[in-house]
């Protein structure tokens, strides 16, 4: 009990909590990938609550760690990113549950999802030192995935949905590029979370654009929870350095 | 009548501004800007609603938050980008003043449109006063406090942070507008949302008083 009252004890407890959320989220991803129906009764609700609990908890924990443990600027950026995403997701569910219609893509919720990338890019540029990797490497990272939204533009024409999907891809690959240029990969879990959040939103954009998305894109929801659990663990890992 | 009300409400404030100094002048200037933003937003929202009338877009959820949050927070963005001055947590109060100024004009718009009479009008105005007005103040205050928290960060990350905070404000505003238009739990949540946000902002504004750091005993 005494150990839990210490900052390190509380830190350990929070890490364990996010590992638990990560395990649940990975389990939900596995359901989509491996169950014959890619779902079970109540799957959608469990997935939605897991996403909201994970991103909401990340926001609270990052703010707590920033004010109580370490004035690491990444924590405040992470908190803003998680708040932005939680609000956007809440808006999405509120719309679907209250108005009981599928939300037209794009909506205001997209602004909140975009906010995640902006906060994380600003945070990485703020906290990590720029390495000597040439900038053209970012082109090599960004260009190949951009083929997907361009293919959508060619097939479905230039409209709000396809343009926003293109923007999601640019931001997602931009985040990956920045994390490579600023050596985020040195923090393995944080980098994994960054890759996961980028992949999640690219898949989300494709799912929202396609009139009849394939079952595999049902992985988006659980993958979002995986992303935020990993990001929270990565950021908590950095804040632990201040406690030692 | 919107323009007339705006002029009637804001002109005396401009005269008062001449006599005020320092923090008082800044707060009143932001309040006056809020009124101006309310008038500008009214016309922009009106024209955009007409423009998208034939689409499935819901104006109060999609158009209004984007336009209104941008206009209310505009002086904050300009202050930071042009002057890059250091502000204290006062930025939260300035931002809130802009939001409340906006709410004053918006309240007038709604009251004059609905033309409710008697006790109903009092109830309506009080309800708006503790919900929508507080919401407008809090949304802009979130941007202000966010900027204060990130002060001292690299200048290159400022645009991303500002846009990020703007998206947060838009999303909460849209969520509020979505919920307030419905009955039951949704409406109850919408009524409580601004008050909860206000309480949270009050706590973070007084954070260092409420949670003082323990004195450093090392000599």
């Amino acid at each position: 009990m005494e150990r839990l009252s210490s900052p390190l004890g509380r830190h350990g407890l929070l890490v364990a909590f996010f590992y638990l959320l990560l395990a649940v989220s990975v389990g939900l991803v596995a359901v989509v990938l491996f169950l014959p129906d890619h779902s079970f009764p109540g799957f959608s609700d469990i997935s939605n609550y897991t996403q909201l609990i994970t991103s909401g908890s990340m926001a609270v924990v990052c703010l707590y760690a920033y004010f109580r443990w370490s004035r690491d600027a990444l924590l405040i950026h992470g908190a803003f990113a998680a708040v932005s995403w939680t609000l956007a997701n809440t808006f999405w569910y509120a719309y679907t549950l209250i108005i009981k219609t599928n939300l037209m893509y794009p909506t205001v919720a997209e602004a909140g999802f975009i906010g995640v990338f902006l906060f994380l890019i600003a945070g990485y540029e703020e906290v990590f030192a720029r390495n000597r990797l040439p900038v053209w490497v970012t082109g090599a990272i960004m260009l190949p995935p951009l083929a997907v939204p361009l293919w959508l533009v060619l097939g479905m024409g230039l409209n709000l949905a396809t343009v926003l999907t293109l923007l999601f891809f640019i931001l997602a690959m931009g985040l990956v590029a920045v994390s490579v240029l600023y050596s985020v990969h040195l923090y393995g879990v944080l980098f994994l979370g960054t890759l996961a959040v980028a992949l999640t939103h690219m898949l989300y954009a494709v799912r929202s654009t396609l009139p009849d998305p394939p079952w595999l894109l049902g992985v988006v929801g659980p993958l979002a929870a995986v992303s935020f659990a990993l990001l929270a663990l990565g950021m908590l890992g950095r804040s632990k350095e201040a406690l030692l | 009548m919107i323009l007339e009300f705006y002029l009637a409400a804001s002109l005396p404030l401009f005269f008062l501004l001449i006599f005020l100094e320092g923090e008082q002048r800044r707060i009143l200037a932001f309040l006056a800007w809020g009124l101006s933003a309310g008038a500008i937003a009214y016309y922009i929202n009106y024209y955009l609603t007409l423009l998208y009338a034939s689409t499935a877009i819901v104006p109060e959820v999609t158009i209004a938050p984007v336009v209104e949050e941008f206009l209310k927070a505009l002086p904050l963005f300009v202050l930071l980008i042009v002057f890059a001055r250091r502000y204290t947590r006062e930025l939260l109060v300035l931002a809130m003043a802009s939001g409340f100024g906006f709410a004053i004009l918006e309240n007038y718009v709604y009251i004059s449109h609905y033309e409710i009479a008697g006790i109903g009008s009092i109830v309506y105005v009080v309800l708006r006063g503790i919900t929508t007005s507080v919401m407008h103040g809090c949304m802009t205050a979130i941007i202000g406090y966010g900027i204060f928290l990130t002060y001292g960060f690299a200048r290159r990350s400022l645009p991303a942070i500002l846009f990020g905070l703007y998206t947060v404000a838009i999303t909460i505003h849209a969520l509020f507008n979505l919920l307030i238009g419905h009955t039951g739990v949704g409406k109850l949540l919408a009524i409580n949302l601004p008050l909860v946000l206000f309480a949270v902002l009050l706590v973070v504004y007084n954070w260092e008083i409420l949670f003082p750091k323990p004195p450093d005993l090392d000599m």
Side-chain angles (χ1 to χ4, degrees), chain A residues 105-128:
Chain A
Y105 174 82
T107 63
V108 164
E110 265 56 69
F113 296 143
I114 285 170
V116 174
F117 294 101
L118 299 173
F119 282 125
L120 289 179
I121 288 171
Y124 292 163
E125 285 187 346
E126 182 67 39
V127 170
F128 299 106

PDB file of all heavy atoms in Angstrom, chain A residues 105-128:
ATOM      1  N   TYR A 105     -19.994  11.816 -44.121  1.00  0.00           N
ATOM      2  CA  TYR A 105     -18.550  12.090 -44.132  1.00  0.00           C
ATOM      3  C   TYR A 105     -18.266  13.110 -45.223  1.00  0.00           C
ATOM      4  O   TYR A 105     -18.740  12.923 -46.342  1.00  0.00           O
ATOM      5  CB  TYR A 105     -17.799  10.780 -44.385  1.00  0.00           C
ATOM      6  CG  TYR A 105     -16.307  10.918 -44.557  1.00  0.00           C
ATOM      7  CD1 TYR A 105     -15.480  11.013 -43.448  1.00  0.00           C
ATOM      8  CD2 TYR A 105     -15.735  10.925 -45.824  1.00  0.00           C
ATOM      9  CE1 TYR A 105     -14.115  11.121 -43.606  1.00  0.00           C
ATOM     10  CE2 TYR A 105     -14.364  11.032 -45.980  1.00  0.00           C
ATOM     11  CZ  TYR A 105     -13.564  11.120 -44.867  1.00  0.00           C
ATOM     12  OH  TYR A 105     -12.211  11.225 -45.018  1.00  0.00           O
ATOM     13  N   PRO A 106     -17.553  14.176 -44.998  1.00  0.00           N
ATOM     14  CA  PRO A 106     -16.935  14.582 -43.740  1.00  0.00           C
ATOM     15  C   PRO A 106     -17.858  15.444 -42.893  1.00  0.00           C
ATOM     16  O   PRO A 106     -18.797  16.047 -43.399  1.00  0.00           O
ATOM     17  CB  PRO A 106     -15.759  15.424 -44.224  1.00  0.00           C
ATOM     18  CG  PRO A 106     -16.198  16.011 -45.516  1.00  0.00           C
ATOM     19  CD  PRO A 106     -17.175  15.059 -46.121  1.00  0.00           C
ATOM     20  N   THR A 107     -17.534  15.484 -41.583  1.00  0.00           N
ATOM     21  CA  THR A 107     -18.281  16.346 -40.648  1.00  0.00           C
ATOM     22  C   THR A 107     -17.295  17.111 -39.777  1.00  0.00           C
ATOM     23  O   THR A 107     -16.084  16.982 -39.945  1.00  0.00           O
ATOM     24  CB  THR A 107     -19.155  15.519 -39.703  1.00  0.00           C
ATOM     25  OG1 THR A 107     -18.263  14.720 -38.925  1.00  0.00           O
ATOM     26  CG2 THR A 107     -20.155  14.673 -40.417  1.00  0.00           C
ATOM     27  N   VAL A 108     -17.869  17.826 -38.809  1.00  0.00           N
ATOM     28  CA  VAL A 108     -17.038  18.560 -37.863  1.00  0.00           C
ATOM     29  C   VAL A 108     -16.140  17.612 -37.053  1.00  0.00           C
ATOM     30  O   VAL A 108     -15.055  17.994 -36.625  1.00  0.00           O
ATOM     31  CB  VAL A 108     -17.964  19.386 -36.936  1.00  0.00           C
ATOM     32  CG1 VAL A 108     -17.255  19.867 -35.716  1.00  0.00           C
ATOM     33  CG2 VAL A 108     -18.529  20.567 -37.709  1.00  0.00           C
ATOM     34  N   ALA A 109     -16.594  16.367 -36.868  1.00  0.00           N
ATOM     35  CA  ALA A 109     -15.791  15.405 -36.096  1.00  0.00           C
ATOM     36  C   ALA A 109     -14.404  15.239 -36.710  1.00  0.00           C
ATOM     37  O   ALA A 109     -13.423  15.018 -35.999  1.00  0.00           O
ATOM     38  CB  ALA A 109     -16.499  14.058 -36.043  1.00  0.00           C
ATOM     39  N   GLU A 110     -14.333  15.374 -38.022  1.00  0.00           N
ATOM     40  CA  GLU A 110     -13.041  15.222 -38.707  1.00  0.00           C
ATOM     41  C   GLU A 110     -12.026  16.248 -38.216  1.00  0.00           C
ATOM     42  O   GLU A 110     -10.821  15.989 -38.185  1.00  0.00           O
ATOM     43  CB  GLU A 110     -13.225  15.356 -40.223  1.00  0.00           C
ATOM     44  CG  GLU A 110     -13.388  14.050 -40.965  1.00  0.00           C
ATOM     45  CD  GLU A 110     -14.531  13.191 -40.472  1.00  0.00           C
ATOM     46  OE1 GLU A 110     -15.700  13.568 -40.657  1.00  0.00           O
ATOM     47  OE2 GLU A 110     -14.267  12.129 -39.897  1.00  0.00           O
ATOM     48  N   ALA A 111     -12.518  17.443 -37.832  1.00  0.00           N
ATOM     49  CA  ALA A 111     -11.614  18.481 -37.318  1.00  0.00           C
ATOM     50  C   ALA A 111     -10.900  17.969 -36.062  1.00  0.00           C
ATOM     51  O   ALA A 111      -9.700  18.194 -35.889  1.00  0.00           O
ATOM     52  CB  ALA A 111     -12.398  19.749 -37.000  1.00  0.00           C
ATOM     53  N   GLY A 112     -11.646  17.277 -35.215  1.00  0.00           N
ATOM     54  CA  GLY A 112     -11.051  16.725 -33.995  1.00  0.00           C
ATOM     55  C   GLY A 112     -10.021  15.652 -34.308  1.00  0.00           C
ATOM     56  O   GLY A 112      -8.970  15.581 -33.660  1.00  0.00           O
ATOM     57  N   PHE A 113     -10.313  14.803 -35.292  1.00  0.00           N
ATOM     58  CA  PHE A 113      -9.357  13.752 -35.664  1.00  0.00           C
ATOM     59  C   PHE A 113      -8.084  14.383 -36.238  1.00  0.00           C
ATOM     60  O   PHE A 113      -6.967  13.932 -35.971  1.00  0.00           O
ATOM     61  CB  PHE A 113      -9.972  12.775 -36.677  1.00  0.00           C
ATOM     62  CG  PHE A 113     -11.141  11.997 -36.125  1.00  0.00           C
ATOM     63  CD1 PHE A 113     -12.245  11.693 -36.912  1.00  0.00           C
ATOM     64  CD2 PHE A 113     -11.146  11.552 -34.813  1.00  0.00           C
ATOM     65  CE1 PHE A 113     -13.325  10.980 -36.403  1.00  0.00           C
ATOM     66  CE2 PHE A 113     -12.218  10.835 -34.286  1.00  0.00           C
ATOM     67  CZ  PHE A 113     -13.318  10.549 -35.093  1.00  0.00           C
ATOM     68  N   ILE A 114      -8.270  15.428 -37.052  1.00  0.00           N
ATOM     69  CA  ILE A 114      -7.113  16.118 -37.639  1.00  0.00           C
ATOM     70  C   ILE A 114      -6.268  16.751 -36.523  1.00  0.00           C
ATOM     71  O   ILE A 114      -5.031  16.749 -36.590  1.00  0.00           O
ATOM     72  CB  ILE A 114      -7.600  17.181 -38.659  1.00  0.00           C
ATOM     73  CG1 ILE A 114      -8.069  16.478 -39.936  1.00  0.00           C
ATOM     74  CG2 ILE A 114      -6.502  18.197 -38.983  1.00  0.00           C
ATOM     75  CD1 ILE A 114      -8.782  17.380 -40.918  1.00  0.00           C
ATOM     76  N   GLY A 115      -6.950  17.267 -35.484  1.00  0.00           N
ATOM     77  CA  GLY A 115      -6.242  17.883 -34.356  1.00  0.00           C
ATOM     78  C   GLY A 115      -5.193  16.958 -33.746  1.00  0.00           C
ATOM     79  O   GLY A 115      -4.128  17.407 -33.329  1.00  0.00           O
ATOM     80  N   VAL A 116      -5.471  15.647 -33.726  1.00  0.00           N
ATOM     81  CA  VAL A 116      -4.530  14.678 -33.150  1.00  0.00           C
ATOM     82  C   VAL A 116      -3.178  14.782 -33.849  1.00  0.00           C
ATOM     83  O   VAL A 116      -2.122  14.841 -33.207  1.00  0.00           O
ATOM     84  CB  VAL A 116      -5.081  13.238 -33.304  1.00  0.00           C
ATOM     85  CG1 VAL A 116      -4.061  12.209 -32.847  1.00  0.00           C
ATOM     86  CG2 VAL A 116      -6.375  13.088 -32.537  1.00  0.00           C
ATOM     87  N   PHE A 117      -3.209  14.825 -35.181  1.00  0.00           N
ATOM     88  CA  PHE A 117      -1.961  14.864 -35.953  1.00  0.00           C
ATOM     89  C   PHE A 117      -1.206  16.158 -35.703  1.00  0.00           C
ATOM     90  O   PHE A 117       0.012  16.168 -35.539  1.00  0.00           O
ATOM     91  CB  PHE A 117      -2.259  14.701 -37.449  1.00  0.00           C
ATOM     92  CG  PHE A 117      -2.801  13.351 -37.761  1.00  0.00           C
ATOM     93  CD1 PHE A 117      -4.160  13.153 -37.954  1.00  0.00           C
ATOM     94  CD2 PHE A 117      -1.967  12.254 -37.821  1.00  0.00           C
ATOM     95  CE1 PHE A 117      -4.670  11.900 -38.192  1.00  0.00           C
ATOM     96  CE2 PHE A 117      -2.455  10.995 -38.064  1.00  0.00           C
ATOM     97  CZ  PHE A 117      -3.832  10.816 -38.255  1.00  0.00           C
ATOM     98  N   LEU A 118      -1.958  17.268 -35.657  1.00  0.00           N
ATOM     99  CA  LEU A 118      -1.313  18.565 -35.467  1.00  0.00           C
ATOM    100  C   LEU A 118      -0.629  18.634 -34.103  1.00  0.00           C
ATOM    101  O   LEU A 118       0.505  19.096 -33.992  1.00  0.00           O
ATOM    102  CB  LEU A 118      -2.343  19.688 -35.610  1.00  0.00           C
ATOM    103  CG  LEU A 118      -3.016  19.744 -36.978  1.00  0.00           C
ATOM    104  CD1 LEU A 118      -4.138  20.763 -36.973  1.00  0.00           C
ATOM    105  CD2 LEU A 118      -2.006  20.095 -38.050  1.00  0.00           C
ATOM    106  N   PHE A 119      -1.317  18.156 -33.071  1.00  0.00           N
ATOM    107  CA  PHE A 119      -0.725  18.206 -31.732  1.00  0.00           C
ATOM    108  C   PHE A 119       0.500  17.290 -31.644  1.00  0.00           C
ATOM    109  O   PHE A 119       1.505  17.666 -31.044  1.00  0.00           O
ATOM    110  CB  PHE A 119      -1.756  17.801 -30.681  1.00  0.00           C
ATOM    111  CG  PHE A 119      -2.747  18.885 -30.361  1.00  0.00           C
ATOM    112  CD1 PHE A 119      -4.103  18.664 -30.469  1.00  0.00           C
ATOM    113  CD2 PHE A 119      -2.313  20.136 -29.942  1.00  0.00           C
ATOM    114  CE1 PHE A 119      -5.016  19.658 -30.167  1.00  0.00           C
ATOM    115  CE2 PHE A 119      -3.226  21.141 -29.638  1.00  0.00           C
ATOM    116  CZ  PHE A 119      -4.587  20.903 -29.752  1.00  0.00           C
ATOM    117  N   LEU A 120       0.400  16.098 -32.229  1.00  0.00           N
ATOM    118  CA  LEU A 120       1.529  15.173 -32.121  1.00  0.00           C
ATOM    119  C   LEU A 120       2.733  15.686 -32.927  1.00  0.00           C
ATOM    120  O   LEU A 120       3.871  15.620 -32.458  1.00  0.00           O
ATOM    121  CB  LEU A 120       1.126  13.764 -32.585  1.00  0.00           C
ATOM    122  CG  LEU A 120       0.184  13.005 -31.644  1.00  0.00           C
ATOM    123  CD1 LEU A 120      -0.163  11.635 -32.210  1.00  0.00           C
ATOM    124  CD2 LEU A 120       0.788  12.833 -30.247  1.00  0.00           C
ATOM    125  N   ILE A 121       2.475  16.219 -34.125  1.00  0.00           N
ATOM    126  CA  ILE A 121       3.573  16.764 -34.932  1.00  0.00           C
ATOM    127  C   ILE A 121       4.251  17.910 -34.163  1.00  0.00           C
ATOM    128  O   ILE A 121       5.483  17.950 -34.041  1.00  0.00           O
ATOM    129  CB  ILE A 121       3.056  17.251 -36.315  1.00  0.00           C
ATOM    130  CG1 ILE A 121       2.708  16.048 -37.201  1.00  0.00           C
ATOM    131  CG2 ILE A 121       4.091  18.129 -37.017  1.00  0.00           C
ATOM    132  CD1 ILE A 121       1.991  16.398 -38.496  1.00  0.00           C
ATOM    133  N   ALA A 122       3.433  18.822 -33.615  1.00  0.00           N
ATOM    134  CA  ALA A 122       3.995  19.952 -32.854  1.00  0.00           C
ATOM    135  C   ALA A 122       4.787  19.440 -31.643  1.00  0.00           C
ATOM    136  O   ALA A 122       5.867  19.941 -31.345  1.00  0.00           O
ATOM    137  CB  ALA A 122       2.877  20.878 -32.402  1.00  0.00           C
ATOM    138  N   GLY A 123       4.246  18.432 -30.984  1.00  0.00           N
ATOM    139  CA  GLY A 123       4.909  17.877 -29.793  1.00  0.00           C
ATOM    140  C   GLY A 123       6.251  17.244 -30.124  1.00  0.00           C
ATOM    141  O   GLY A 123       7.242  17.475 -29.425  1.00  0.00           O
ATOM    142  N   TYR A 124       6.293  16.453 -31.189  1.00  0.00           N
ATOM    143  CA  TYR A 124       7.557  15.789 -31.557  1.00  0.00           C
ATOM    144  C   TYR A 124       8.610  16.812 -31.972  1.00  0.00           C
ATOM    145  O   TYR A 124       9.786  16.698 -31.614  1.00  0.00           O
ATOM    146  CB  TYR A 124       7.327  14.782 -32.697  1.00  0.00           C
ATOM    147  CG  TYR A 124       6.500  13.581 -32.287  1.00  0.00           C
ATOM    148  CD1 TYR A 124       5.893  12.753 -33.240  1.00  0.00           C
ATOM    149  CD2 TYR A 124       6.315  13.259 -30.945  1.00  0.00           C
ATOM    150  CE1 TYR A 124       5.125  11.666 -32.863  1.00  0.00           C
ATOM    151  CE2 TYR A 124       5.549  12.166 -30.565  1.00  0.00           C
ATOM    152  CZ  TYR A 124       4.952  11.379 -31.527  1.00  0.00           C
ATOM    153  OH  TYR A 124       4.197  10.295 -31.146  1.00  0.00           O
ATOM    154  N   GLU A 125       8.169  17.828 -32.725  1.00  0.00           N
ATOM    155  CA  GLU A 125       9.113  18.870 -33.153  1.00  0.00           C
ATOM    156  C   GLU A 125       9.616  19.667 -31.951  1.00  0.00           C
ATOM    157  O   GLU A 125      10.735  20.155 -31.946  1.00  0.00           O
ATOM    158  CB  GLU A 125       8.435  19.816 -34.144  1.00  0.00           C
ATOM    159  CG  GLU A 125       8.266  19.206 -35.526  1.00  0.00           C
ATOM    160  CD  GLU A 125       7.748  20.194 -36.549  1.00  0.00           C
ATOM    161  OE1 GLU A 125       7.274  21.278 -36.150  1.00  0.00           O
ATOM    162  OE2 GLU A 125       7.817  19.881 -37.737  1.00  0.00           O
ATOM    163  N   GLU A 126       8.764  19.754 -30.951  1.00  0.00           N
ATOM    164  CA  GLU A 126       9.093  20.541 -29.766  1.00  0.00           C
ATOM    165  C   GLU A 126      10.101  19.815 -28.870  1.00  0.00           C
ATOM    166  O   GLU A 126      11.055  20.406 -28.380  1.00  0.00           O
ATOM    167  CB  GLU A 126       7.787  20.777 -28.987  1.00  0.00           C
ATOM    168  CG  GLU A 126       7.911  21.617 -27.757  1.00  0.00           C
ATOM    169  CD  GLU A 126       8.256  23.047 -28.071  1.00  0.00           C
ATOM    170  OE1 GLU A 126       7.731  23.585 -29.050  1.00  0.00           O
ATOM    171  OE2 GLU A 126       9.089  23.613 -27.333  1.00  0.00           O
ATOM    172  N   VAL A 127       9.866  18.525 -28.706  1.00  0.00           N
ATOM    173  CA  VAL A 127      10.579  17.793 -27.660  1.00  0.00           C
ATOM    174  C   VAL A 127      11.840  17.092 -28.164  1.00  0.00           C
ATOM    175  O   VAL A 127      12.864  17.076 -27.478  1.00  0.00           O
ATOM    176  CB  VAL A 127       9.606  16.757 -27.030  1.00  0.00           C
ATOM    177  CG1 VAL A 127      10.332  15.803 -26.119  1.00  0.00           C
ATOM    178  CG2 VAL A 127       8.513  17.483 -26.270  1.00  0.00           C
ATOM    179  N   PHE A 128      11.762  16.532 -29.350  1.00  0.00           N
ATOM    180  CA  PHE A 128      12.899  15.742 -29.832  1.00  0.00           C
ATOM    181  C   PHE A 128      13.807  16.576 -30.733  1.00  0.00           C
ATOM    182  O   PHE A 128      13.350  17.509 -31.402  1.00  0.00           O
ATOM    183  CB  PHE A 128      12.407  14.515 -30.610  1.00  0.00           C
ATOM    184  CG  PHE A 128      11.565  13.593 -29.778  1.00  0.00           C
ATOM    185  CD1 PHE A 128      10.188  13.533 -29.945  1.00  0.00           C
ATOM    186  CD2 PHE A 128      12.139  12.797 -28.800  1.00  0.00           C
ATOM    187  CE1 PHE A 128       9.400  12.696 -29.172  1.00  0.00           C
ATOM    188  CE2 PHE A 128      11.360  11.958 -28.007  1.00  0.00           C
ATOM    189  CZ  PHE A 128       9.993  11.896 -28.200  1.00  0.00           C
TER     190      PHE A 128
END
